[in-house]
Amino acid sequence: MSEKLDNILENIAETIAQNVPKQKSVSSFFEEQTSSSVNTRLRRLFGRQKPVYHLLGGGKSADVLLWRNKKISASTLSGATAIWVLFEWLNYHFLTLLFVALVLGMLIQFLWLNVSGLFNRSPSKVPRLVLPSELFVNIGVSVGNLVNQALRFLQDVSCGGNLKQFLVVVASLWFAALIGSWFNFLTVLYAGFVAAHTLPVLYEKYEDQVDSSVYNVFGQFQNQYQKLDAGFLSKIPKGKLSGKKLD
């Protein structure tokens, strides 16, 4: 009996010894998975936590920008391309196209009314095009809010006393002015429109690769900026640009 009991105890001890490292490896596996998931969340571009679809508003505009409805997205981009080609390559003028479009619209309505009167006893009603006034009000309010936010930000930077932020904003504005000297406003607007219809959908498809590449570039810029700060910016006396932020 004592020998059988010793054998049973030895079997139990061997079973425990074999299972202990397995439990440790399983726990370490879950710890690694948790840390890796945390790192991926922390290394998202600009620290975002929501999907790209929700960042773009999650409505019809996000559907168009992310090509949820390919027909609408393709027609929108094709229309913008046609307008850019007419003005930029074919050298059409806005007033010329506007008045030509109005003349064509009047001719279509005139022919509609008279031709329908020849074939029918009573002429059919011509459809009227009426733009809602709320459309212009919403556009004006949205543009006004964006302009006020931009002006408020620039004034806060210029009067905030943060020299580094001030230099970054001035360099960004100078770079934008340099781009504006190379291209006209219509080309810049069209380039932004094309970027809005291509970059979000590409980023949604390859967001992991883009995030890692962008963070590598940011790391290189941060190293260069630290060298510039240690060699030049830190030696600039502070306090000369101190002031209160504008409300």
Side-chain angles (χ1 to χ4, degrees):
M1 293 293 293
S2 61
E3 292 180 356
K4 292 182 178 181
L5 182 61
D6 292 337
N7 292 330
I8 292 172
L9 292 176
E10 289 177 359
N11 292 330
I12 293 173
E14 290 176 358
T15 303
I16 294 173
Q18 291 176 358
N19 290 330
V20 167
K22 292 181 180 180
Q23 294 176 355
K24 288 183 179 180
S25 62
V26 170
S27 62
S28 63
F29 172 77
F30 282 109
E31 289 178 357
E32 291 177 357
Q33 291 293 325
T34 305
S35 61
S36 63
S37 62
V38 171
N39 290 330
T40 54
R41 286 198 300 267
L42 291 177
R43 290 183 64 83
R44 288 299 180 192
L45 192 60
F46 303 116
R48 66 175 182 86
Q49 297 180 354
K50 295 181 179 180
V52 180
Y53 182 79
H54 293 289
L55 292 178
L56 295 176
K60 294 182 179 180
S61 60
D63 292 335
V64 174
L65 295 177
L66 294 177
W67 292 73
R68 295 289 191 266
N69 192 334
K70 295 183 179 180
K71 292 182 179 179
I72 297 177
S73 301
S75 60
T76 304
L77 187 59
S78 300
T81 304
I83 293 173
W84 180 73
V85 169
L86 287 174
F87 286 107
E88 188 66 21
W89 283 8
L90 302 180
N91 295 324
Y92 278 87
H93 299 284
F94 176 75
L95 292 178
T96 303
L97 291 178
L98 177 63
F99 292 131
V100 169
L102 292 176
V103 169
L104 291 176
M106 292 180 64
L107 287 175
I108 291 173
Q109 290 184 342
F110 179 80
L111 293 175
W112 186 314
L113 181 62
N114 290 277
V115 172
S116 63
L118 293 176
F119 293 98
N120 300 324
R121 293 181 180 179
S122 59
S124 61
K125 293 183 179 180
V126 179
R128 299 298 182 94
L129 178 61
V130 178
L131 297 177
S133 58
E134 293 82 4
L135 175 64
F136 300 98
V137 173
N138 293 331
I139 292 175
V141 171
S142 301
V143 173
N145 291 332
L146 292 175
V147 172
N148 287 330
Q149 290 178 3
L151 292 176
R152 188 180 301 111
F153 172 75
L154 294 177
Q155 293 177 75
D156 289 340
V157 171
S158 60
C159 302
N162 191 339
L163 180 60
K164 296 178 182 179
Q165 187 180 18
F166 178 78
L167 294 177
V168 170
V169 173
V170 169
S172 301
L173 293 176
W174 179 82
F175 183 71
L178 186 61
I179 294 177
S181 64
W182 294 341
F183 308 100
N184 56 16
F185 178 73
L186 181 62
T187 302
V188 174
L189 186 64
Y190 174 72
F193 191 85
V194 173
H197 281 76
T198 54
L199 295 182
V201 65
L202 292 176
Y203 175 72
E204 186 184 34
K205 188 176 182 180
Y206 304 103
E207 57 180 346
D208 294 333
Q209 295 86 341
V210 173
D211 288 341
S212 61
S213 300
V214 170
Y215 271 99
N216 291 330
V217 174
F218 280 170
Q220 295 179 1
F221 275 113
Q222 187 176 5
N223 293 331
Q224 298 297 327
Y225 179 78
Q226 288 177 355
K227 295 179 181 178
L228 180 63
D229 188 15
F232 177 71
L233 296 180
S234 60
K235 298 179 181 179
I236 298 176
K238 300 180 180 180
K240 292 184 179 181
L241 295 176
S242 60
K244 295 182 179 180
K245 293 184 178 181
L246 296 177
D247 296 331

